[in-house]
């Protein structure tokens, strides 16, 4: 290691004779070790690097994975001196699959490698390849946002568009707003677009009606917290009717309290007091009552079959807060849970509206299955 560090410090002046002799060392006692150091050091040699020898390691009939990996890393260190065309020619194995070692090397030089190979790989069947591609694009966002935007500005796939939106944030005042505004129309990219426009200090309320772009095709669509949190910056520009319609959302209630305190006091507070007293309520406020019922059942930790069926029905409530409380309560009870509840909890592990529901469902399943497997309560 001392020798390696000393030689690496010489950079382009590393004696090529050492590298060549170590690469060709056939001594079984030290050959692999010397070859490893030779390959590693070649990455520090700049324009003097023996690139042809490094590339031949990818053509060798024996699958020397370690040598390929180290050769790829050495090539990546060469930066502008790397033989990009030859590396791209060896990007795919004989069967057409992407060579992970070479792809990883190219991902370490995103300023030189073609952007399209990373964009295309985002949908590769190999999870390792997809992860490398995502990291490479993230690196481009940090170091060369304009390059990513130039290539991928017309790609509307959410996985690519969200990277482009991050790149726009990096450009700051030089960013073009048309991509972000167009992304508001797609639910899959809407949040990232809102965040980008917020970071760029763009008041979207002057560009497009808030109520228009935030609604899906369904008239009763419920907002999620991230959208309402970003909307909070526009204060009273959010219509009162819009907030009242979504008052079941905690964030919407907070915004209403902050921007329309008189309305909150006159129209919301009386219902809240009724819920605390256990008095009947109507309309949207029944949601809060259902949440309280679900939470109370969980605190008791026991349920008759009738009450248990009520709790299971609440797993389908349109408000995520209620679904979360129902899942938590089923986990607290964890005894004699019907199969239909378990099937629904399995679905809620991927709840599209709330990560908190997913986490509650996952925790509930763990408690239920632990009991069924014979683990006693402590």
């Amino acid at each position: 290691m001392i020798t390696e560090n000393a030689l690496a410090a010489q950079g382009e002046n590393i004696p090529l004779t050492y590298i060549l002799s170590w690469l060709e060392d056939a001594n079984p006692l030290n050959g692999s070790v010397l070859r490893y150091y030779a390959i590693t050091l070649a990455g520090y040699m700049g324009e003097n690097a023996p690139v042809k020898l490094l590339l031949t390691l990818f053509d060798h009939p024996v699958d020397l994975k370690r040598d390929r990996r180290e050769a790829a890393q050495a090539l990546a260190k060469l930066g502008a001196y790397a033989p990009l065309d030859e590396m791209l020619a060896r990007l795919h194995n004989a069967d057409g699959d992407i060579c992970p070692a070479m792809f990883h090397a190219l991902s370490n030089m995103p300023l030189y490698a073609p952007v399209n190979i990373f964009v295309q790989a985002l949908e590769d069947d190999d999870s390792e390849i997809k992860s490398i591609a995502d990291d490479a694009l993230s690196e481009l966002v940090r170091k060369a946002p304009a390059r990513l935007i130039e290539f991928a500005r017309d790609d509307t796939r959410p996985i690519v568009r969200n990277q482009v939106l991050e790149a726009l944030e990096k450009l700051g005042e030089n960013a073009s707003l048309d991509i972000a505004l167009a992304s508001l129309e797609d639910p899959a990219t809407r949040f990232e677009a809102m965040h980008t426009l917020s970071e760029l200090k763009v008041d979207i309320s002057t560009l497009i009606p808030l109520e228009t772009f935030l609604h899906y095709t369904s008239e009763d669509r419920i907002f999620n917290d991230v959208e309402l949190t970003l909307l909070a910056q526009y204060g009273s520009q959010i219509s009162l009717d819009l907030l009242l319609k979504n008052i079941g959302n905690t964030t919407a209630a907070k915004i209403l309290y902050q921007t329309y305190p008189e309305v909150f006091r006159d129209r919301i507070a009386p219902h809240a007091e009724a819920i605390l007293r256990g008095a009947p309520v109507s309309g949207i406020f029944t949601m809060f009552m259902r949440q309280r019922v679900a939470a109370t059942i969980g605190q008791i930790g026991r349920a008759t079959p009738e009450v248990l069926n009520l709790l299971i029905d609440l797993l389908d409530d349109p408000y995520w807060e209620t679904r979360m409380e129902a899942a938590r309560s089923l986990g607290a009870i964890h005894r004699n849970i019907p199969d239909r509840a378990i099937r629904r909890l399995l679905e809620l592990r991927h709840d599209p509206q709330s990560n908190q529901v997913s986490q509650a469902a996952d925790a509930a399943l763990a408690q239920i299955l632990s009991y069924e497997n014979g683990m006693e309560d402590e």
Side-chain angles (χ1 to χ4, degrees):
M1 290 181 64
I2 294 174
T3 303
E4 178 191 10
N5 291 335
L7 286 170
Q10 297 187 48
E12 295 183 8
N13 296 319
I14 295 175
L16 185 59
T17 52
Y18 283 125
I19 305 301
L20 296 178
S21 62
W22 291 355
L23 280 173
E24 297 170 357
D25 193 312
N27 188 330
L29 296 178
N30 61 16
S32 62
V33 176
L34 289 175
R35 188 168 61 248
Y36 165 75
Y37 283 120
I39 295 170
T40 302
L41 287 168
Y44 296 98
M45 296 179 65
E47 62 180 341
N48 297 323
V51 293
K52 292 188 180 301
L53 277 174
L54 293 176
L55 288 168
T56 58
L57 294 174
F58 290 88
D59 302 326
H60 199 280
V62 180
D63 186 15
L64 299 174
K65 291 186 177 180
R66 177 179 175 180
D67 285 356
R68 287 190 179 193
R69 184 175 64 249
E70 297 304 328
Q73 294 304 313
L75 289 167
K77 289 178 184 177
L78 296 176
Y81 295 114
L84 189 58
D85 290 342
E86 289 87 344
M87 291 174 70
L88 291 171
R90 290 169 173 79
L91 178 59
H92 293 87
N93 295 320
D95 56 5
D97 290 338
I98 291 177
C99 173
M102 186 61 80
F103 189 66
H104 197 277
L106 290 166
S107 75
N108 287 334
M109 42 191 297
L111 299 183
Y112 305 102
V115 179
N116 68 303
I117 66 171
F118 306 122
V119 173
Q120 292 169 0
L122 287 173
E123 296 182 348
D124 195 273
D125 293 334
D126 189 325
S127 59
E128 178 186 4
I129 295 298
K130 286 196 291 188
S131 178
I132 294 173
D134 188 65
D135 290 343
L137 291 176
S138 296
E139 186 72 7
L140 265 179
V141 168
R142 290 190 291 270
K143 293 184 177 180
R147 187 164 187 255
L148 175 61
I149 295 169
E150 179 183 5
F151 178 84
R153 63 177 298 116
D154 296 325
D155 194 319
T156 57
R157 290 175 297 169
I159 193 171
V160 179
R161 179 52 60 89
N162 285 333
Q163 294 272 19
V164 172
L165 289 167
E166 286 189 44
L168 286 171
E169 290 181 35
K170 293 293 183 181
L171 288 182
E173 61 183 17
N174 297 320
S176 174
L177 301 181
D178 58 327
I179 299 175
L181 292 173
S183 300
L184 291 172
E185 300 175 6
D186 184 353
T189 57
R190 180 174 294 136
F191 169 63
E192 190 63 49
M194 292 176 65
H195 187 275
T196 296
L197 290 166
S198 174
E199 290 295 310
L200 295 176
K201 310 300 182 185
V202 177
D203 185 352
I204 57 177
S205 64
T206 63
L207 303 173
I208 188 168
L210 299 180
E211 290 91 339
T212 299
F213 76 79
L214 282 175
H215 278 80
Y216 291 122
T217 54
S218 174
E219 288 299 322
D220 60 351
R221 182 252 171 168
I222 301 168
F223 286 87
N224 61 46
D225 281 348
V226 290
E227 290 175 333
L228 284 166
T229 299
L230 286 171
L231 278 177
Q233 66 185 292
Y234 302 114
S236 60
Q237 295 182 57
I238 305 176
S239 75
L240 177 59
D241 289 341
L242 190 64
L243 290 173
L244 288 173
K245 183 176 180 179
N246 292 276
I247 195 61
N249 183 288
T250 304
T251 305
K254 290 179 180 178
I255 297 174
L256 180 67
Y257 177 78
Q258 294 167 354
T259 55
Y260 302 97
E262 300 83 2
V263 175
F264 188 93
R265 182 180 62 248
D266 296 339
R267 298 175 62 175
I268 308 302
H271 291 281
E273 293 173 2
I275 292 172
L276 292 174
R277 294 195 308 269
V281 291
S282 60
I284 190 70
F285 298 97
T286 59
M287 181 271 293
F288 294 107
M289 186 61 76
R290 293 195 298 272
Q291 286 180 35
R292 190 173 184 190
V293 168
T296 301
I297 295 173
Q299 290 168 3
I300 295 172
R302 297 286 190 279
T304 65
E306 293 78 15
V307 172
L308 195 56
N309 283 330
L310 169 64
L311 192 59
I312 296 171
D313 289 340
L314 291 178
L315 291 175
D316 294 316
D317 195 89
Y319 290 92
W320 69 264
E321 293 93 340
T322 307
R323 299 197 300 276
M324 178 185 67
E325 292 294 351
R328 286 176 175 173
S329 294
L330 284 169
I333 296 170
H334 65 256
R335 297 174 177 83
N336 304 317
I337 304 300
D339 289 344
R340 76 180 182 98
I342 294 177
R343 287 194 297 270
R344 182 61 179 138
L345 287 170
L346 286 170
E347 294 172 352
L348 289 177
R349 292 177 67 191
H350 307 286
D351 189 287
Q353 193 179 12
S354 170
N355 286 332
Q356 290 172 275
V357 174
S358 300
Q359 293 168 5
D362 198 46
L365 284 167
Q367 291 171 295
I368 294 168
L369 295 176
S370 293
Y371 177 77
E372 290 183 350
N373 289 333
M375 295 178 64
E376 298 295 331
D377 295 334
E378 294 183 358

